Amino acid sequence: MTHALAFHGGTPVIDLPLPHVPWPLVDDVTIAAVTTQLLTATSIPDRSGVIADLEDRLAEYFGVRYAVLASSGTAALHSAYAALGLGDGDEVIVPAYTFHATATPLFHLRARPVLVDCDLLGNIDPKMVEAAITPATKAIVVTHMWGVPAQLERLVAIADSHGLDLVEDGSHAHGATYDGRKVGSFGKAAAFSMNGPKPLSAGEGGFVLTDDEETYYRTLLHGQYNKRCRTEIPKDHPLSAYAVTGMGLKLRIHPLAAALASDQLDHLDARLVGRRRIADRMLADLRDVPGLGIPEVPDGIEPSWYALALTLDVAEIGVDPGIALRALHAEGLLEIDQPGSTRPMNEHALFSRPEGLFPQVGGDWPRYREGQFPNAERLHRTTVKFPVPHDDGPVADGYVRGITKVLTHAHLLQEDL
Ligand SMILES: Cc1ncc(COP(=O)(O)O)c(C=O)c1O
């Protein structure tokens, strides 16, 4: 019975304490950095100390002129959209398949998210972007799903040829590259989350990137009012009149979170190299497993592998992905999950009935509903994902063995139906 599935009482492939992929990684140097910050400054209203240092390092890392830290990725997206002047009635093309915060700040600006279906990697499909452009379109938003860069060359060309702003949500993809260039440097603005499991983690935090001076000043005015705006927006600039109040929101990162992120940034590239090596090995080992779809990453792309997303071919394995997931968990692969809140956004009440929370949304709202985004919906129903370790150890090989075991014996699961 060595091959008996653990789901049926067999021996699990691994029995490892959680978390299997701890993140962010904290060592003595991290603790010293955060403790030093605690004793130095816990409120930084201007651009100084750890805030200035980290922003300078982020701007250099991504190869852009400006970085502005924020309290979260959601806040960073909100500030970026406000800074680009998106507002009343403007249509903004967003991926149908993403975490909802990619789009939800647009409701607060009275701009209108227009959902567009995805390609096989879960990234917004440039063909469908082009078809969704109308005279009211002002911007295109792209998320690099699970850390695999989207089709940027085509998206940049579409945005340029229609005079639209491209905005990148890089929350899964810190350090991922497209044709050798870091994602986050392709759009007019980019926003990144640095919450818990993100490739660059502050625990909670985010940032905006831009090369554009006006977008930079407006990002500051949206979420970093008073001292920072007063010291950074030149007195002779027309926007300096608003420096004290800004747009009224305060979305600063906590300095302790900035200290944590700064420590993590020291290791980001080395850890990405490790993740890529392990992800490549796992994908090679999993390539021929029956019923399993692996991401086919095009040449010229270096993912950050925020997560390895695999698809289950329901017809071939003969059971619902939820049952396969239970069998994978039984084998001890406890960090595999089916994405929950990251799902086709047409399935959220906010996108089908926004008026319950945003009464100002007009009667011509498209009333998104299930079935409208077949690629996103199919991908979502069939995807399982897990975090990728950056170093050798029992996790990567155990996950490969467990996935292989469950899928090569999936026919046995059918008997439980
Ligand atoms: C693609 C994407 N965008 C935005 C966000 C929001 O970031 P935060 O949780 O830092 O507000 C997340 C967070 O999970 C995300 O995955």
Side-chain angles (χ1 to χ4, degrees):
M1 284 295 279
T2 48
H3 288 301
L5 292 172
F7 193 61
H8 293 142
T11 309
V13 168
I14 53 171
D15 179 13
L16 296 170
L18 287 170
H20 291 170
V21 184
W23 203 262
L25 293 175
V26 172
D27 60 16
D28 288 347
V29 178
T30 319
I31 293 168
V34 176
T35 312
T36 303
Q37 187 58 45
L38 182 64
L39 300 172
T40 311
T42 50
S43 172
I44 302 183
D46 57 5
R47 189 177 184 280
S48 65
V50 69
I51 304 298
D53 287 351
L54 181 55
E55 288 185 353
D56 288 347
R57 292 181 63 203
L58 288 170
E60 192 187 334
Y61 182 81
F62 286 95
V64 299
R65 273 179 83 190
Y66 303 105
V68 180
L69 290 162
S71 52
S72 69
T74 309
L77 285 153
H78 195 179
S79 290
Y81 295 147
L84 294 174
L86 299 173
D88 221 352
D90 291 340
E91 291 183 6
V92 180
I93 294 176
V94 298
Y97 183 51
T98 182
F99 184 70
H100 48 80
T102 305
T104 47
L106 293 166
F107 286 107
H108 294 266
L109 298 166
R110 304 175 76 109
R112 175 169 286 214
V114 174
L115 275 48
V116 161
D117 212 348
C118 63
D119 63 18
L120 291 174
L121 288 166
N123 289 323
I124 197 164
D125 184 331
K127 279 194 307 299
M128 303 203 200
V129 167
E130 209 147 21
I133 293 173
T134 75
T137 308
K138 290 289 179 324
I140 301 167
V141 182
V142 48
T143 305
H144 306 293
M145 286 298 286
W146 311 124
V148 182
Q151 300 181 46
L152 281 167
E153 191 180 336
R154 292 180 63 193
L155 292 166
V156 168
I158 293 168
D160 287 351
S161 68
H162 292 269
L164 304 173
D165 288 339
L166 184 70
V167 181
E168 292 176 81
D169 179 348
S171 296
H172 295 180
H174 316 63
T177 62
Y178 182 96
D179 279 348
R181 191 168 138 197
K182 297 229 168 60
V183 306
S185 64
F186 288 81
K188 172 106 181 254
F192 286 71
S193 167
M194 294 194 289
N195 83 359
K198 295 296 171 348
L200 179 64
S201 180
E204 291 289 351
F207 55 91
V208 175
L209 303 177
T210 186
D211 277 328
D212 180 59
E213 187 180 76
E214 171 98 3
T215 306
Y216 174 60
Y217 293 151
R218 287 184 181 273
T219 300
L220 295 181
L221 287 162
H222 183 255
Q224 321 270 328
Y225 58 59
N226 203 13
K227 202 162 177 193
R228 212 174 146 172
C229 293
R230 286 196 283 120
T231 49
E232 284 188 75
I233 304 176
K235 297 279 171 285
D236 58 355
H237 194 287
L239 289 172
S240 78
Y242 302 98
V244 174
T245 60
M247 292 176 77
L249 298 180
K250 187 179 177 204
L251 306 173
R252 281 186 215 145
I253 193 169
H254 196 291
L256 298 185
L260 173 57
S262 188
D263 165 79
Q264 298 294 303
L265 185 55
D266 292 342
H267 305 283
L268 178 59
D269 277 341
R271 289 173 183 164
L272 289 178
V273 167
R275 273 192 188 181
R276 286 177 189 138
R277 182 173 55 81
I278 297 213
D280 286 348
R281 196 176 74 212
M282 293 181 84
L283 289 172
D285 291 346
L286 290 169
R287 176 164 290 281
D288 297 324
V289 173
L292 189 68
I294 63 171
E296 299 291 350
V297 178
D299 288 345
I301 281 182
E302 293 275 20
S304 65
W305 293 122
Y306 170 50
L308 200 53
L310 305 171
T311 53
L312 302 176
D313 182 336
V314 180
E316 190 164 348
I317 66 174
V319 291
D320 184 79
I323 297 194
L325 185 64
R326 281 168 55 199
L328 291 164
H329 286 171
E331 297 298 342
L333 281 51
L334 295 172
E335 290 200 353
I336 302 191
D337 67 10
Q338 281 193 288
S341 45
T342 299
R343 62 185 308 124
M345 290 198 293
N346 50 314
E347 297 178 0
H348 292 298
L350 184 62
F351 289 84
S352 57
R353 310 184 296 282
E355 67 281 4
L357 294 179
F358 292 101
Q360 72 274 18
V361 172
D364 58 343
W365 176 259
R367 309 220 151 270
Y368 292 109
R369 58 193 175 280
E370 269 188 58
Q372 280 181 303
F373 301 99
N375 296 347
E377 292 172 45
R378 192 179 328 103
L379 203 60
H380 178 64
R381 305 266 174 274
T382 56
T383 292
V384 293
K385 65 153 184 50
F386 53 88
V388 182
H390 70 276
D391 51 8
D392 293 307
V395 174
D397 290 342
Y399 274 52
V400 167
R401 279 188 288 120
I403 293 167
T404 309
K405 178 179 172 190
V406 167
L407 291 187
T408 50
H409 295 82
H411 56 282
L412 299 175
L413 294 168
Q414 294 170 23
E415 292 158 18
D416 294 292
L417 293 178

